[in-house]
């Protein structure tokens, strides 16, 4: 009987073996385990497959399961009130990406017969020759003249702390893409946001939104076990991109779908919003060109420094604009947030068009991320006289 739980990478099968002629006389159960282990690896090697590593933790699981079958006097993977294989592996503290189990019983202790009949069963054969398994443990228990055998297969891994894995992935990505340096407080805030999303993804949610204050970005969420798989996914997602900034956050743990454990990664990529603009004369020149489509307006450089202060105040608090307008003697003080500088928002355009006797303007465009502040968008301030 073969049962495949593909999401968890579990492969189960069991097989009763017929009585066979005597061989391996006098070997202890532990020696029989070693011989069956040897036969499995000889089979795999003869077919060009990597040999399985011995894992004492898997042998302990296998022996415990064979003992359970003796106690229940039955050949099975599951018993009422008895933990399933993945639950037993988790309780043993194992981290795994794949698990499998073969069980068999016979009145023979001739291991080559055990192996031959296991190989003749499609389900058992699939486990024995599965290239995704890297380790194995075998447990054999004798009850009367009946031998119960369990083969536990796995692909085990030893997780490293998420912070260490983050550091390794960042080194590789910085070599590939480079990255601007942000003030520590800003960089930490952005990383924590990515870690928050990674933790949500780990627990079965798939958030695709970063905090509004971070601005426009593309967010990738994916999971992996091996570091090289993490590198491959990160490099694939950034292929051909030239981001202004990027940040990644990791979380590690077990989940319902991945009880063996996994790394959940959120990669946030911030594109450079200036790429589509003609910025040879500066961002302010783009705004002036857009204003002149509404009405003729000259540049007033003396007002630029004040416009810069207004844009920063607006970034800190949008409500500040009302107090500025209430006390400012200028004919027009405007500020707004945008992702595109080429077009002025309708409400702002109407104010420019509807304010009489203005002919010059001071302009400043704040790009927060370039200034080391959270926010991949533009803040535009226009002061007109």
């Amino acid at each position: 009987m073969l049962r495949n739980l593909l999401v968890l990478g579990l492969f189960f099968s069991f097989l009763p073996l017929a009585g066979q002629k005597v061989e391996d006389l006098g070997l202890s159960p532990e020696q029989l385990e070693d011989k069956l282990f040897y036969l499995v690896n000889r089979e795999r090697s003869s077919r060009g497959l990597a040999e399985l590593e011995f894992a004492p933790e898997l042998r302990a699981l296998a022996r415990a399961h064979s003992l359970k079958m003796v106690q229940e006097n039955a050949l099975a993977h599951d018993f009422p009130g008895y933990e399933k294989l993945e639950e037993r592996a988790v309780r043993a503290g194992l981290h795994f990406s794949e698990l499998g189990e073969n069980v068999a019983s016979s009145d023979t202790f001739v291991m080559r017969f055990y192996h031959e009949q296991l190989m003749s069963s499609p389900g058992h054969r699939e486990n024995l020759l599965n290239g995704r398994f890297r380790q194995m443990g075998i447990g054999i228990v004798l009850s009367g003249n009946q031998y119960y055998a369990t083969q536990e297969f796995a692909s085990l891994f030893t997780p490293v702390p998420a912070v260490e894995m983050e550091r390794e992935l960042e080194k590789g990505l910085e070599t590939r893409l480079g990255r601007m340096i942000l003030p520590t407080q800003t960089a930490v805030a952005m990383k924590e946001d990515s870690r928050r999303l990674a933790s949500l993804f780990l627990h079965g949610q798939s958030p695709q939104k970063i905090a509004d204050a971070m601005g426009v970005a593309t967010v990738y969420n994916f999971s992996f076990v091996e570091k090289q798989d993490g590198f491959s996914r990160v490099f694939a997602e950034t292929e051909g991109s030239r981001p202004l900034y990027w940040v990644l956050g990791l979380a590690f743990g077990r989940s319902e779908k991945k009880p063996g454990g996994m790394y959940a990664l959120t990669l946030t990529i911030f594109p450079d919003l200036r790429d589509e603009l003609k910025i040879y004369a500066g961002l302010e020149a783009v705004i002036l060109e857009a204003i002149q489509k509404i009405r003729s307006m000259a540049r007033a450089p003396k007002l630029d420094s004040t416009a810069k202060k207004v844009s920063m105040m607006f970034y800190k608090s949008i409500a500040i604009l009302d107090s500025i307008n209430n006390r400012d003697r200028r004919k027009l003080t405007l500020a707004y947030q945008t992702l595109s500088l080429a077009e002025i928002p309708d409400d702002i355009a109407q104010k420019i068009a509807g304010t009489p006797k203005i002919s010059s303007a001071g302009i400043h465009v704040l790009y927060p991320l370039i200034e080391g502040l959270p926010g991949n968008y533009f803040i535009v301030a226009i002061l007109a006289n």
Side-chain angles (χ1 to χ4, degrees), residues 95-168:
H95 292 95
F96 52 87
S97 58
E98 304 280 353
L99 278 182
E101 181 176 87
N102 284 346
V103 295
S105 67
S106 175
D107 58 1
T108 182
F109 48 82
V110 184
M111 288 300 102
R112 68 181 176 88
F113 291 143
Y114 250 96
H115 178 67
E116 288 169 2
Q117 292 208 34
L118 287 167
M119 283 294 295
S120 69
S121 166
H124 295 78
R125 179 189 178 93
E126 181 178 344
N127 282 348
L128 291 164
L129 302 181
N130 192 323
R132 296 195 299 274
F133 291 141
R134 295 200 303 248
Q135 295 89 13
M136 182 176 64
I138 299 175
I140 297 177
V141 175
L142 174 63
S143 177
N145 65 344
Q146 194 78 4
Y147 288 86
Y148 286 87
T150 301
Q151 294 173 319
E152 304 288 21
F153 306 88
S155 184
L156 303 174
F157 67 95
T158 301
V160 299
V163 173
E164 183 178 331
M165 184 66 77
E166 269 184 0
R167 191 179 300 117
E168 289 297 313

Side-chain angles (χ1 to χ4, degrees), residues 4-11 97-98 255-259:
N4 294 325
L5 304 179
L6 296 179
V7 173
L8 298 177
L10 302 177
F11 305 87
S97 58
E98 304 280 353
S255 66
E256 184 177 350
K257 290 186 176 181
K258 292 288 187 180

Side-chain angles (χ1 to χ4, degrees), residues 264-298:
L265 183 146
T266 293
L267 173 64
T268 308
I269 296 179
F270 296 87
D272 193 333
L273 299 180
R274 302 168 299 178
D275 283 349
E276 303 301 321
L277 299 172
K278 298 176 181 179
I279 59 172
Y280 305 108
L283 297 175
E284 288 76 14
V286 179
I287 294 296
L288 182 61
E289 182 179 346
I291 291 175
Q292 289 174 337
K293 293 178 182 179
I294 302 170
R295 65 185 300 167
S296 178
M297 190 85 71

Side-chain angles (χ1 to χ4, degrees), residues 290-291 293-294 332 334-338 340-355 382:
I291 291 175
K293 293 178 182 179
I294 302 170
L332 194 64
L334 302 169
Y336 60 92
Q337 179 177 320
T338 183
S340 174
L341 299 181
E343 299 292 336
I344 293 179
D346 290 342
D347 59 330
I348 301 296
Q350 290 173 8
K351 290 180 180 179
I352 293 173
T355 303
I382 303 172

